[in-house]
Amino acid sequence: MFSSRLPRSLEANPFTTLLAEKRAAGAMLIDLTLANPTQAGFAYPATPLAQPPGHGGCPSSPLAGQQIYRPTAQGALEAREAICRFYRTSRQQLIDPDNLFLTAGTSEAYSFLFKLLTNPGDEVLLPAPGYPLFDLLAELDLVTPCRYPLRRDGQGFWRLDFSHLRRQISRRTRAIVVVHPHNPTGSYLSEEEMRRLGQLCRDHQLALIIDEVFFDYPAAGGPANPVPAVAENTALTFVLNGFSKLLGLPQAKLSWIHLGGPPALRAGARERLEFIADSYLSVGTVQHQAAELLAGYRPAQEEIRQRLASNDAALAAATGLKALPREGGWYRIIQLPPGWDDESCCLELLKRHNLIVHPGFFYDFLDEAVLVVSLLCPEADFRRGLELLQEFLPAPLQ
Ligand SMILES: Cc1ncc(COP(=O)(O)O)c(C=O)c1O
């Protein structure tokens, strides 16, 4: 009766099951995985979007002035121009509104690209460790997700291993996905890695998908000036970003694909993306608020950055906890002592201490047992969570 593109079992895993039981029992949980900025106690921004219905945020209907529906496949030009202004002022990056496609969230952008680039059974290369959502999105579009490993360099940052990556390319590979900075490791791509990726994709006639949703959150230990992905002429390239992380407004459901590459390929991609986007026309009225929302990017990002830095400092000061270095993004990886199992550790922490942390295997950490925590949590919760971890874990790792 149902499609085989869905997971064979939709049953919850032991961790999610225990969490649901705890919640149903009304347990007071400390959530070190909280990554939803709307639940993290931020004050930004004073826009109608931030106000729940009935709280007086909207002077009139949010749809006022938008009664005549004139949809465009690429998204409203005024919104695309506002995004270009943002790139110019915040990064001195010049992009063309003609090369932007708006989508209802970055997940949808992936889905559009998989439809654009693949036939059923084709492969896309995804990083391991990596964010588990990408596998699901690929499979929902009948694409086979394949992994390429990231390797830690001498300083503990995660880098591309080009010889391994090259070996993963098969006759069915259609695209390579990179995340810049990566989720959850937080490592940015270097300019050199970006250049080599472009060449690799060009040589193998692959598309390059660069996810930049966390780009604006560099950490103190990261590169002084991370290099934004340039959708330039080497390979067909799609750079993804959106309000969910850029402005901490996931409820806006506004993201975009920035299209680049050799002109002929880009033209072919543009007309087909137009066809796909036109079939859904999923971006709603929020696009008409894009300029207004982007005007508030500085305070929103500043507030988020302060939270990340403050929780990062608390983690650095927490004796007994060894975190891997982070260049950017919203997450931190904590190493477990040798011989420890991440899943049983997370189950025990939840069962005994009502503490929610994610096991590394959720993110496909292949070689080591780690915990993944979000730096977005309210500070008091984060500190309490660290204390519980300190009590729970044995002697510090060297
Ligand atoms: C790296 C990365 N890309 C894309 C997404 C999806 O973002 P959106 O909320 O815009 O769909 C996420 C969600 O957390 C993410 O971590």
Side-chain angles (χ1 to χ4, degrees):
M1 175 70 79
F2 299 114
S3 169
S4 60
R5 79 187 71 206
L6 295 162
R8 229 169 287 141
S9 162
L10 292 171
E11 267 174 36
N13 60 40
F15 179 79
T16 328
T17 307
L18 178 60
L19 184 55
E21 286 165 10
K22 286 272 182 185
R23 289 206 162 114
M28 293 287 287
L29 299 169
I30 297 174
D31 186 359
L32 291 201
T33 66
L34 188 143
N36 177 346
T38 65
Q39 294 174 5
F42 292 122
Y44 69 84
T47 68
L49 265 188
Q51 305 285 339
H55 284 64
C58 306
S60 60
S61 158
L63 296 179
Q66 313 298 337
Q67 303 296 1
I68 298 169
Y69 178 48
R70 289 195 191 90
T72 52
Q74 264 188 273
L77 178 62
E78 79 208 60
R80 287 182 284 124
E81 284 175 343
I83 292 164
C84 293
R85 279 198 299 280
F86 163 77
Y87 276 85
R88 198 172 58 236
T89 47
S90 79
R91 308 181 178 181
Q92 293 73 52
Q93 202 182 349
L94 295 180
I95 63 170
D96 184 340
D98 262 5
N99 289 330
L100 286 177
F101 278 80
L102 304 188
T103 59
T106 315
S107 303
E108 188 182 69
Y110 276 101
S111 177
F112 282 9
L113 293 180
F114 294 152
K115 287 177 176 60
L116 172 74
L117 299 166
T118 67
N119 291 316
D122 281 345
E123 297 171 359
V124 291
L125 289 177
L126 303 172
Y131 191 52
L133 174 73
F134 304 144
D135 296 73
L136 309 180
L137 294 174
E139 281 163 359
L140 285 173
D141 271 303
L142 301 176
V143 182
T144 306
C146 296
R147 294 289 180 173
Y148 65 88
L150 299 173
R151 301 259 180 244
R152 280 205 275 145
D153 67 13
Q155 293 170 289
F157 297 118
W158 299 77
R159 305 289 174 221
L160 292 172
D161 172 347
F162 277 91
S163 56
H164 210 123
L165 176 56
R166 205 171 285 114
R167 283 203 298 279
Q168 300 303 107
I169 299 172
S170 80
R171 279 191 306 114
R172 300 222 65 172
T173 310
R174 294 290 169 264
I176 299 178
V177 174
V178 287
V179 185
H180 178 53
H182 191 59
N183 177 3
T185 68
S187 290
Y188 281 92
L189 291 164
S190 67
E191 218 168 344
E192 170 67 4
E193 282 176 310
M194 212 105 70
R195 191 185 58 73
R196 289 181 69 185
L197 268 174
Q199 283 172 355
L200 184 69
C201 288
R202 181 198 56 200
D203 294 348
H204 291 267
Q205 297 182 338
L206 305 176
L208 177 58
I209 300 174
I210 307 179
D211 180 330
E212 276 198 342
V213 298
F214 290 110
F215 184 82
D216 289 270
Y217 299 98
N225 293 306
V227 184
V230 197
E232 35 105 304
N233 286 343
T234 320
L236 183 61
T237 307
F238 304 92
V239 183
L240 312 184
N241 206 341
F243 283 5
S244 170
K245 311 292 186 284
L246 188 92
L247 299 179
L249 288 179
Q251 71 274 46
K253 300 301 292 177
L254 191 70
S255 294
W256 51 90
I257 300 168
H258 177 216
L259 175 61
L265 274 178
R266 203 172 36 187
R270 175 184 285 106
E271 64 179 2
R272 288 168 178 82
L273 262 182
E274 250 169 44
F275 178 87
I276 296 167
D278 200 39
S279 307
Y280 290 92
L281 291 174
S282 44
V283 182
T285 50
V286 68
Q287 56 191 317
H288 302 292
Q289 289 173 286
E292 182 192 352
L293 293 171
L294 275 168
Y297 88 88
R298 276 184 214 281
Q301 289 188 348
E302 202 37 51
E303 211 178 339
I304 294 175
R305 281 197 204 112
Q306 272 171 21
R307 174 73 56 84
L308 301 173
S310 151
N311 284 340
D312 222 1
L315 180 54
T319 47
L321 298 183
K322 177 142 166 94
L324 298 183
R326 153 181 173 266
E327 290 187 306
W330 289 3
Y331 300 91
R332 208 64 211 253
I333 318 291
I334 297 175
Q335 275 184 311
L336 287 174
W340 278 52
D341 172 69
D342 53 350
E343 183 176 25
S344 25
C345 179
C346 291
L347 283 168
E348 278 304 296
L349 283 166
L350 184 54
K351 205 183 296 169
R352 297 207 330 234
H353 299 289
N354 285 341
L355 177 65
I356 313 175
V357 287
H358 274 155
F361 87 87
F362 278 9
Y363 298 83
D364 235 339
F365 279 85
L366 304 173
D367 303 327
E368 54 194 327
V370 298
L371 305 177
V372 179
V373 296
S374 163
L375 295 172
L376 214 61
C377 305
E379 277 125 339
D381 283 1
F382 194 78
R383 280 164 176 69
R384 180 67 195 128
L386 292 183
E387 282 165 14
L388 290 170
L389 274 177
Q390 283 173 301
E391 284 163 26
F392 184 78
L393 293 176
L397 280 177
Q398 290 314 310

